[in-house]
């Protein structure tokens, strides 16, 4: 299912869009179980916090349902409306799944990339319902248009938003299990605190349109839709 011109415009203007597609219940359950299993078995690469694994990295490299999700039509069909027909998956930004519990607190407000000319589309995949109580994603709409100039995509977001007088404009985005949220990665966003005794599981993946001026293979990128297309004028 592609996006309508109005939906594309909404995404460009506000920096986020709840995709009209979702993962099926069976797909959601299979992916959630795979994430929980790899976290429980500490299948590397794993990120740990307070002595327990909280995140698995390189989900692409795990193959199976991870790779099937990254390349599924439910994600790539609407993304063609944003990124065009030739889409690359990015292996060195996101490419991870996270299990958040009560003790994890909230995550810092951040951008995923530094500069508008190299932005990506991040897709957040919710494997459990994410609510106001268990820490749904929070975003500040429109902030993907604010100036660049951060030295790191992380950690400086709260200060930047406070300086800009925009911290109170943050809005929560609750999502159902299987829901897919696309954001322009320049938008300031973060995870809310989990105030429940339950978990909040999500997977984060990033995509780029295939770069028509790049004529060498980059193993940090995987073409997942369309074809490589070199359009440089150095060969004419
Ligand atoms: O899960 C979320 O709400 C946000 C995740 C995120 O910002 C990230 O993985 O970089």
């Amino acid at each position: 299912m592609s996006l309508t011109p109005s939906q594309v415009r909404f995404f460009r203007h506000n920096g986020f869009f709840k995709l009209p597609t979702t993962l099926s219940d069976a797909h959601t359950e299979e992916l959630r179980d795979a994430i929980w299993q790899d976290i429980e078995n500490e299948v590397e690469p794993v990120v740990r916090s307070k002595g327990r694994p909280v995140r698995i990295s390189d989900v692409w490299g795990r193959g199976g349902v991870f790779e099937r999700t990254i390349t599924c039509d439910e994600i790539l069909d609407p993304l063609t409306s944003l990124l065009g027909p030739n889409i690359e998956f990015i292996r060195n930004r996101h490419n991870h799944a996270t299990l958040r519990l009560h003790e994890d607190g909230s995550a810092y407000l951040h951008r995923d990339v530094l500069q508008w000319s190299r932005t990506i589309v991040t897709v957040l995949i919710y494997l459990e319902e994410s609510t106001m109580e268990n820490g749904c994603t929070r975003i500040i709409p429109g902030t993907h248009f604010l100036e660049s100039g951060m030295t790191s995509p992380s950690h400086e977001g709260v200060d930047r938003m406070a300086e800009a007088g925009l911290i109170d404009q943050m809005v929560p985005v609750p999502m159902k299990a299987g829901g897919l949220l696309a954001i322009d990665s320049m938008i300031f966003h973060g995870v809310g605190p989990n105030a429940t005794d339950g978990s909040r599981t999500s997977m984060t993946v990033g995509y780029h349109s295939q770069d028509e001026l790049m004529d060498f293979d980059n193993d940090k990128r995987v073409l997942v839709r369309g074809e490589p297309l070199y359009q440089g004028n150095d060969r004419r």
Side-chain angles (χ1 to χ4, degrees):
M1 181 191 284
S2 53
L3 302 182
T4 68
S6 299
Q7 290 173 327
V8 172
R9 191 176 152 76
F10 182 98
F11 174 83
R12 299 250 182 265
H13 196 72
N14 295 288
F16 74 100
F17 197 75
K18 294 179 178 185
L19 296 183
T21 44
T22 57
L23 300 187
S24 68
D25 289 348
H27 188 159
T28 304
E29 196 174 320
E30 185 186 355
L31 180 58
R32 187 178 56 224
D33 287 350
I35 293 168
W36 284 354
Q37 198 169 14
D38 280 8
I39 286 187
E40 188 177 332
N41 296 329
E42 305 198 19
V43 180
E44 299 289 352
V46 168
V47 176
R48 295 173 181 80
S49 170
K50 299 174 189 152
R52 71 161 231 275
V54 290
R55 172 173 283 178
I56 51 171
S57 304
D58 189 21
V59 288
W60 173 264
R62 292 166 195 264
V65 66
F66 295 100
E67 186 178 324
R68 263 192 286 122
T69 305
I70 289 163
T71 56
C72 73
D73 291 342
E74 289 86 343
I75 294 178
L76 295 183
D77 284 355
L79 282 200
T80 57
S81 303
L82 302 175
L83 294 174
N86 305 312
I87 299 178
E88 290 175 341
F89 171 71
I90 298 170
R91 294 190 67 176
N92 58 351
R93 173 64 68 212
H94 307 310
N95 193 10
H96 58 218
T98 312
L99 175 71
R100 297 186 69 83
L101 301 178
H102 188 84
E103 63 263 29
D104 295 322
S106 58
Y108 50 86
L109 208 56
H110 63 283
R111 278 174 160 165
D112 294 330
V113 291
L114 290 178
Q115 226 286 329
W116 66 267
S117 71
R118 298 303 303 154
T119 196
I120 63 180
V121 174
T122 293
V123 177
L124 295 156
I125 305 169
Y126 299 90
L127 287 319
E128 296 178 274
E129 183 171 13
S130 98
T131 62
M132 304 282 279
E133 291 73 36
N134 74 2
C136 61
T137 305
R138 301 182 300 182
I139 57 173
I140 307 187
T143 49
H144 57 305
F145 287 134
L146 297 189
E147 71 283 6
S148 309
M150 291 173 72
T151 53
S152 141
S154 331
H155 299 126
E156 301 168 38
V158 172
D159 292 344
R160 284 292 304 282
M161 290 300 91
E163 269 166 35
L166 290 174
I167 202 86
D168 290 341
Q169 308 311 315
M170 188 153 63
V171 294
V173 188
M175 296 288 292
K176 299 270 185 233
L180 304 166
L181 175 67
I183 59 173
D184 179 320
S185 298
M186 286 287 283
I187 200 171
F188 283 91
H189 65 282
V191 189
N194 183 352
T196 72
D197 293 331
S199 56
R200 186 240 201 232
T201 309
S202 60
M203 185 160 113
T204 315
V205 288
Y207 300 87
H208 216 299
S209 56
Q210 195 262 345
D211 188 339
E212 76 270 13
L213 300 181
M214 196 68 79
D215 63 349
F216 56 85
D217 287 336
N218 177 349
D219 65 5
K220 305 284 192 271
R221 306 279 178 89
V222 188
L223 188 73
V224 287
R225 178 64 69 90
E227 52 186 356
L229 178 75
Y230 184 65
Q231 298 273 306
N233 63 3
D234 54 338
R235 295 183 189 163
R236 292 186 195 133

